[in-house]
Amino acid sequence: MIIDGVEMRALAPGDAAGLAGAFARNRAYMAPFEPVRPEDFYTERGQRARIEGMLAERDAGRMVPYVLADAATGAPVGAINLGSIARGPLCSGGVGYWVDRAWHGRGLATAALEEVCRAARDDLGLHRVEAGTLLDNAASQRVLLKAGFEPYGVAPRYLHINGAWRDHRLFQRLLHDDPPAP
């Protein structure tokens, strides 16, 4: 899928160097929204290890990781991941995403979320997708609302972000009401 010059595709081992560069470029911007990262996270080696872990989770059926890449150069400009995939009566997954600051304002996150929800419904048969944002992350909340998510609560001290446990507003998008696959 290509959106405004950006391709959404499966994450691959060859994305390590590009992701390291993108995370390094966006480090200060993303710090208020992210866990404190070790220095190795911002290196090709660190990203290679991270990607290997994510692909192992994919192979186990617990995650579907994507990269958003400049269609002209292939350079990563963001990512979106459907993780914590649960089957059975829950039939759900959680989504996380980010877009390089230089690529904001193009609707990339919203379009990527809509595509992930389509795949979660049509390819994985999930019933719902959920996401959480910091209480003051209005931009991410707008993205979720545009993509059809609804707020359903607040989780106190939900994630350890930027050095402290932070409250998060929780969102969900119900995808269908069919019973779970046996």
Side-chain angles (χ1 to χ4, degrees):
M1 170 179 88
I2 296 182
I3 313 148
D4 194 19
V6 173
E7 175 186 22
M8 181 175 148
R9 59 171 172 73
L11 180 67
D15 291 318
L19 282 171
F23 277 119
R25 272 193 316 276
N26 287 276
R27 186 175 187 170
Y29 170 72
M30 290 173 56
F33 311 106
E34 291 279 311
V36 174
R37 306 284 193 187
E39 287 304 315
D40 194 50
F41 180 85
Y42 301 95
T43 68
E44 183 175 352
R45 182 179 61 139
Q47 286 302 307
R48 186 175 296 112
R50 180 174 164 270
I51 290 169
E52 287 171 5
M54 293 171 82
L55 295 180
E57 286 292 294
R58 177 203 64 198
D59 294 346
R62 294 186 293 260
M63 173 180 251
V64 184
Y66 301 94
V67 67
L68 303 175
D70 182 327
T73 67
V77 299
I80 185 165
N81 304 305
L82 179 64
S84 302
I85 295 173
R87 299 295 182 172
L90 183 57
C91 211
S92 180
V95 69
Y97 53 88
W98 66 275
V99 174
D100 188 305
R101 190 170 189 188
W103 291 78
H104 280 194
R106 299 177 187 213
L108 300 176
T110 302
L113 268 170
E114 289 171 347
E115 177 58 19
V116 164
C117 287
R118 186 215 53 79
R121 181 191 65 230
D122 298 346
D123 302 340
L124 301 174
L126 297 183
H127 166 67
R128 68 191 282 277
V129 173
E130 64 182 3
T133 72
L134 291 166
L135 297 181
D136 61 351
N137 190 344
S140 193
Q141 292 172 21
R142 277 192 306 275
V143 166
L144 289 163
L145 292 169
K146 282 192 232 175
F149 284 70
E150 298 175 318
Y152 71 92
V154 172
R157 297 179 301 283
Y158 185 63
L159 292 174
H160 200 262
I161 300 294
N162 197 22
W165 291 103
R166 309 282 182 186
D167 298 349
H168 279 64
R169 185 165 319 286
L170 303 176
F171 291 80
Q172 69 178 0
R173 180 170 163 183
L174 300 178
L175 305 174
H176 64 77
D177 285 327
D178 299 335

